[in-house]
Amino acid sequence: MTDADRIADARARIDAARRVVVLTGAGISTESGIPDFRGPRGVWTKNPAAEKQSTIQHYLADPEVRKAAWRSRLDSPAWTAEPNAGHRALVTLERTGKLHALVTQNIDELHQRAGSSADKVVEVHGSMRRVMCWDCGRRAPMDEALARVRAGESDPPCPACGGIQKSDTISFGQALVADVIDRALRVASEGDLLLAVGTTLQVQPVCAMVPIAARAGAAIVILNDQPTAMDALADVVLRAQIGAALSEICGTADARSAH
Ligand SMILES: [Zn+2]
């Protein structure tokens, strides 16, 4: 089978599907300039201190770690990142009425910024565009806290209770949000096609969506630029550039006719 055959196979399966569940990982956002955290050029590979900032025990225990974390948040390339062709293709898929849910491991909100409905998006690792207070649970836009850092506060405390604030994302050592994970695993069993994009499918429990979907009889399509842990379960494995390939398999009619 050639690459073109595999693309055509994936496109035919998506055309035939009625309830598509999508799972996305870092690979869909790298074309927007957001680095993959664990890849060979990833943030943690280059800067082990960044991994410390992402570990909840260090973050809570050490004000210096928090100050460094706020400084690096100010500089994040994610604030100016724009959605790419891959994000837009999934908006097109939603407009066909067959998108059941869009589960993402990403924290950049680029799906919503591209136009995906917030009620379809399940953010299993939270959002970097919000802060949360570790003590009282208050959530607020990240912009509010970053403005205080720019104005000179090195570790801005919660305005409600004075507690420690952090990005509303799941740090290492921090429990996942049970309701959110339950929803992700439930929707996996409800579709007739599961499309996994830009993830190596190694992070539990989210990667269990693939065997859950397969057991429920769904077709499995995996699109990633490198092998994944679940390729053996897939009906179609596409090893291709993500934005272009997604545009072809579920993007606009224009993108399809150009093929
Ligand atoms: Zn608080």
Side-chain angles (χ1 to χ4, degrees), residues 92 247-248 251-259:
T92 304
S247 299
E248 290 193 63
T252 63
D254 286 353
R256 291 179 181 207
S257 60
H259 182 67

Side-chain angles (χ1 to χ4, degrees), residues 58-71 154-155 164:
H58 292 305
Y59 188 87
L60 295 176
D62 187 346
E64 295 306 318
V65 169
R66 293 199 294 278
K67 289 175 191 173
W70 286 110
R71 285 194 301 273
S154 55
D155 180 20
I164 292 174

Side-chain angles (χ1 to χ4, degrees), residues 132-139 157-165:
M132 64 95 67
C133 173
W134 189 255
D135 296 281
C136 75
R138 174 185 180 269
R139 286 177 166 80
C158 172
C161 78
I164 292 174
Q165 297 195 104

Side-chain angles (χ1 to χ4, degrees), residues 125-194:
H125 292 158
S127 169
M128 65 183 293
R129 293 184 178 273
R130 295 187 303 265
V131 285
M132 64 95 67
C133 173
W134 189 255
D135 296 281
C136 75
R138 174 185 180 269
R139 286 177 166 80
M142 175 61 81
D143 286 348
E144 191 181 294
L146 290 184
R148 291 169 64 192
V149 177
R150 275 190 211 95
E153 287 183 70
S154 55
D155 180 20
C158 172
C161 78
I164 292 174
Q165 297 195 104
K166 69 181 289 290
S167 167
D168 190 12
T169 54
I170 305 296
S171 300
F172 287 116
Q174 185 178 348
L176 296 164
V177 180
D179 288 352
V180 177
I181 295 300
D182 288 350
R183 184 178 170 202
L185 298 180
R186 189 182 69 243
V187 296
S189 70
E190 294 170 344
D192 57 5
L193 186 144
L194 183 122

Side-chain angles (χ1 to χ4, degrees), residues 3-69:
D3 287 351
D5 290 338
R6 277 187 282 271
I7 291 268
D9 187 2
R11 189 167 60 216
R13 287 173 188 273
I14 288 171
D15 284 345
R18 292 192 301 181
R19 279 157 79 85
V20 178
V21 176
V22 180
L23 168 63
T24 66
I28 197 172
S29 289
T30 50
E31 289 169 40
S32 292
I34 296 177
D36 183 351
F37 284 98
R38 295 171 197 274
R41 288 187 298 278
V43 173
W44 291 330
T45 319
K46 286 194 297 192
N47 179 10
E51 183 157 6
K52 206 168 181 184
Q53 290 164 23
S54 300
T55 303
I56 191 67
Q57 290 83 356
H58 292 305
Y59 188 87
L60 295 176
D62 187 346
E64 295 306 318
V65 169
R66 293 199 294 278
K67 289 175 191 173

